[in-house]
Amino acid sequence: MRMPFFKRALTVVIASTVLMTGVVAAEAQTAATGGPKPTVVLVHGAFADASGFNGTIALLQKAGFPVLAPANPLRDTAGDAAYISSVLDTIPGPIILAAHSYGGVVITNAARGHANVKALVYLGAFAPDQGESALQLATSVPGSELGTALIPRLYPLPDGTIPPDGSGPVDGYIDPAKFRAVFATDLPESQTRLMAVTQRPGSVAGLSGPSGVPAWKSIPSWFLIPTQDKVIPPSIQRTMAKRAGSHTREIRSPHVVMISHPDAAAATILAAYAGTR
């Protein structure tokens, strides 16, 4: 009975040591250059909101980084990217742009034209090439359980109407009964019940919208791959990371890696900072 606890405690100690090593290195570099630390912008995906980054934000703030986690509209690929791009327009100085899940599609497009975005960080996220969509990538290989877990709900057109033939825009919600199994298997049931109730749906238009020219072709990238991901199969994440030339790390985690392992998410962002200083 003692050994599992010891192993778990040892894992926590090792992870904390790795994180603090990165923090110390980052602090030392800032002191040496005298320059400001970049603003870390965190973009959430569908079925979640920015609070999913809370653990990661706390660690980054402790390390002295300014952080901004705007609300991703989750309406359509081009519009969502345009909104996040407008947020980037307001930030002076260098930026590290990080995202989870569908947020990866958004940052892949939003970063274009922003010379101050120094790194892209994909945390269990999509990194599409031109013309690809989130749903296309998720279903391109076996392993995703998202499609069979979705509950569709119509929402109004811009004029407030819903076409009587049912052809209007559709939001996808994860079935609360399947939420934990698909999204966050290692989190407490009490937590995932709340997450299922408060989930922000992703529009089918956004999840199936084609991506534009990818910013990862000109901006260095880092990838944290959760090997137990049942939303974005790890094999397709490896493919996306490889073609983007990303610095890649894998961790045993379900899809919401930034909630299950905020230390690993923060460490990946710190690695991006160290690699682009």
Side-chain angles (χ1 to χ4, degrees), residues 37 59 82 99 108 135 145 151 199 203 218 222 229 233 237 257 275:
K37 289 182 177 177
L59 292 168
T108 295
L135 285 179
E145 298 179 12
I151 297 175
Q199 65 178 291
S203 72
S218 58
W222 278 254
D229 197 327
Q237 292 189 54
V257 63

Side-chain angles (χ1 to χ4, degrees), residues 69-256:
N72 185 354
L74 303 179
R75 295 295 84 190
D76 66 89
T77 302
D80 296 344
Y83 175 74
I84 296 301
S85 178
S86 74
V87 173
L88 301 181
D89 286 337
T90 70
I91 301 172
I95 296 171
I96 293 177
L97 188 53
H100 173 247
S101 197
Y102 167 71
V105 178
V106 175
I107 69 169
T108 295
N109 291 273
R112 286 196 308 269
H114 294 276
N116 57 332
V117 175
K118 303 303 181 183
L120 300 173
V121 180
Y122 295 92
L123 305 170
F126 293 103
D129 204 343
Q130 186 171 8
E132 294 177 339
S133 72
L135 285 179
Q136 174 191 348
L137 288 164
T139 58
S140 64
V141 296
S144 177
E145 298 179 12
L146 179 62
T148 57
L150 288 180
I151 297 175
R153 289 192 172 98
L154 287 171
Y155 65 90
L157 295 169
D159 64 3
T161 64
I162 294 179
D165 62 358
S167 62
V170 177
D171 267 336
Y173 291 78
I174 296 179
D175 183 345
K178 300 177 180 179
F179 189 92
R180 184 172 186 269
V182 172
F183 211 59
T185 52
D186 66 352
L187 296 180
E189 289 188 22
S190 58
Q191 182 177 356
T192 57
R193 281 197 299 269
L194 294 175
M195 291 170 64
V197 170
T198 60
Q199 65 178 291
R200 287 189 58 199
S203 72
V204 173
L207 295 173
S208 60
S211 185
V213 177
W216 48 254
K217 286 192 173 183
S218 58
I219 301 173
S221 58
W222 278 254
F223 228 107
L224 180 62
I225 300 174
T227 61
Q228 306 302 302
D229 197 327
K230 295 181 181 180
V231 175
I232 312 174
S235 60
I236 196 64
Q237 292 189 54
R238 295 184 186 106
T239 297
M240 291 186 289
K242 182 178 180 180
R243 71 183 180 187
S246 302
H247 305 270
T248 305
R249 174 187 174 187
E250 298 193 4
I251 188 168
R252 184 177 177 83
S253 172
H255 183 59
V256 287

